[in-house]
Amino acid sequence: MGVRQVASIHFKNFIGKNWLPHEPDEQNKISQADKDVVREHVLVFVTQVPPLLRVQLGECLKTIIYVDYPERWPRLLDWVKHNLQDQQVHGALLVLQILSRKYE
């Protein structure tokens, strides 16, 4: 669990540094294809990981949502709706909480 926690913190820091719309270092540049993969999978993982890791993924989601929603992530609300109906409530509510803070 300790290794997973360190990896999740590293991932959160990497996303925070390199996802923002400013020009990242060439060494750490995230391609659009990589961003698409992250957006596609981060929602799946946020519903499956232990709470200790969910905190870090929540911070990743916050960064990604603030930068990409709704222009580059138009299906996010569809995912929320599906997961609310599919009893994956915790992950869906986490995303709704982040969205509400964005527009607060």
Side-chain angles (χ1 to χ4, degrees):
M1 185 55 143
V3 173
R4 290 176 71 187
Q5 184 178 12
V6 168
S8 68
I9 291 169
H10 178 72
F11 181 69
K12 175 197 69 160
N13 292 339
F14 181 80
I15 294 295
K17 180 180 177 188
N18 296 293
W19 202 279
L20 300 176
H22 68 306
E23 276 301 314
D25 300 335
E26 285 299 316
Q27 175 183 5
N28 294 326
K29 191 171 185 176
I30 303 175
S31 71
Q32 191 58 46
D34 290 341
K35 286 182 176 184
D36 292 341
V37 169
V38 170
R39 278 192 297 268
E40 183 179 321
H41 290 91
V42 72
L43 294 171
V44 174
F45 294 129
V46 80
T47 62
Q48 296 176 352
V49 298
L52 190 60
L53 304 178
R54 191 175 300 127
V55 171
Q56 305 306 322
L57 285 182
E59 288 299 314
C60 293
L61 272 171
K62 179 180 170 185
T63 299
I64 296 167
I65 288 171
Y66 276 46
V67 173
D68 288 356
Y69 183 79
E71 293 83 13
R72 289 182 224 73
W73 208 357
R75 295 187 186 141
L76 182 61
L77 284 181
D78 293 335
W79 180 89
V80 170
K81 181 181 174 185
H82 173 76
N83 280 280
L84 285 173
Q85 294 171 346
D86 215 22
Q87 303 304 314
Q88 298 291 331
V89 175
H90 189 76
L93 290 177
L94 177 63
V95 171
L96 283 175
Q97 180 184 33
I98 295 168
L99 281 169
S100 68
R101 286 183 183 161
K102 175 180 180 173
Y103 292 104
E104 193 172 68

